[in-house]
Amino acid sequence: MIIDIISVVPELLESPLNHSIMKRAQEKGLLQVRTHNLRKWAINKHGQVDDYQYGGGAGMVMMCEPLFNAIIHLQTTTTYNEIIYLTPDGETFNQSMANRLSLQNNLLFICGHYKGIDQRIRDHFVTKEISIGDYVLSGGELAAAVIVDAIGRLIPGVLNDETSALFDSFQDNLLAPPVYTRPANFNGWKVPDILLQGDPKKVEAWRHEAALAVTKAKRPDLLKDE
Ligand code: ADE
């Protein structure tokens, strides 16, 4: 999968996308994340990419021309399944969206800043608008990093134990059950016996029950449709 990201501060994406699992995904050739500094397409030698908003009011708006030229340039070599604008007024990101996006070949993310991007770019290029939650970030970069991470780890072969993503919280509308590792008794705090007995069927049943209990306690809204 190729993910292109247009940003005025690509530095913000460097660390989250170049370590740990995202680094491994890229080294294995399963994911290619390419960042593009919008200032390359600035309208003048001062690197201008934004301007005052029509109608007045505080805050700058990212201009059509640099974004138009950046997108057209990238489209000459890559066909995108989705052109995604990160914005607090987009559809709220969740695991099923991550699952669907992880099946695509090529995605283009546009990170907004200031007051956002000129509406005409949204109208004419953007195919999907995503928010990562009901709060306002200073730009779309951290949201893009969150989404790329959530998508990237779902690409087959990215995680060492391919099955492990299937058991993540939210994959079946349930939160994950508690997990334990050695020692079996720490300070008198004991691991549930059933996990030590080596019966995979019983372990599976225990995990399902535990996941239901955790979900009921912490996120009963997830169980509403069951
Ligand atoms: N840009 C600013 N805030 C955001 C949010 N909550 N989600 C996605 N992009 C954003």
Side-chain angles (χ1 to χ4, degrees):
M1 176 190 280
I2 291 175
I3 297 181
D4 283 321
I5 307 177
I6 297 174
S7 162
V8 281
V9 204
E11 298 81 6
L12 280 173
L13 293 155
E14 272 164 22
S15 180
L17 299 179
N18 289 303
H19 293 278
S20 180
I21 289 168
M22 289 305 105
K23 181 179 176 191
R24 204 179 331 134
Q26 292 178 81
E27 282 171 353
K28 283 184 177 173
L30 299 169
L31 173 66
Q32 203 184 343
V33 182
R34 308 183 296 202
T35 56
H36 306 277
N37 193 331
L38 185 63
R39 293 201 199 276
K40 242 173 83 180
W41 292 277
I43 60 156
N44 56 32
K45 64 180 187 327
H46 307 294
Q48 187 180 354
V49 293
D50 59 355
D51 209 334
Y52 295 102
Q53 58 177 313
Y54 278 122
M60 307 293 272
V61 174
M62 288 167 65
M63 305 171 81
C64 280
E65 189 180 325
L67 282 166
F68 179 93
N69 287 331
I71 296 166
I72 293 292
H73 173 81
L74 295 174
Q75 281 180 327
T76 58
T77 51
T78 310
T79 303
Y80 297 103
N81 301 103
E82 300 278 8
I83 298 184
I84 298 169
Y85 175 48
L86 289 322
T87 173
D89 61 11
E91 190 183 347
T92 309
F93 189 61
N94 60 21
Q95 191 65 37
S96 67
M97 220 188 280
N99 291 344
R100 267 180 276 130
L101 290 173
S102 75
L103 301 174
Q104 304 294 351
N105 292 326
N106 302 319
L107 300 173
L108 174 60
F109 286 88
I110 301 171
C111 302
H113 261 265
Y114 324 114
K115 276 278 167 200
I117 66 174
D118 190 297
Q119 182 62 34
R120 290 166 288 183
I121 294 294
R122 296 171 77 161
D123 294 342
H124 295 283
F125 283 113
V126 170
T127 58
K128 199 169 186 59
E129 301 188 330
I130 304 181
S131 162
I132 61 160
D134 288 343
Y135 41 80
V136 179
L137 301 165
S138 44
E141 286 77 9
L142 297 182
V146 164
I147 294 168
V148 171
D149 186 290
I151 295 171
R153 62 192 292 286
L154 294 171
I155 298 171
V158 168
L159 293 185
N160 274 341
D161 176 359
E162 260 203 52
T163 60
S164 71
L166 296 175
F167 296 108
D168 286 343
S169 281
F170 302 110
Q171 273 309 2
D172 46 9
N173 258 7
L174 291 178
L175 300 182
V179 291
Y180 301 87
T181 187
R182 288 186 291 180
N185 182 345
F186 175 76
N187 262 348
W189 305 337
K190 292 190 183 143
V191 171
D193 270 344
I194 208 119
L195 299 179
L196 308 175
Q197 288 165 6
D199 181 338
K201 278 220 163 79
K202 283 191 180 159
V203 169
E204 197 186 324
W206 180 89
R207 285 188 174 143
H208 184 69
E209 282 310 307
L212 268 175
V214 171
T215 310
K216 220 173 187 170
K218 295 183 177 172
R219 291 291 307 275
D221 56 300
L222 294 175
L223 295 171
K224 262 195 289 203
D225 300 335
E226 306 229 327

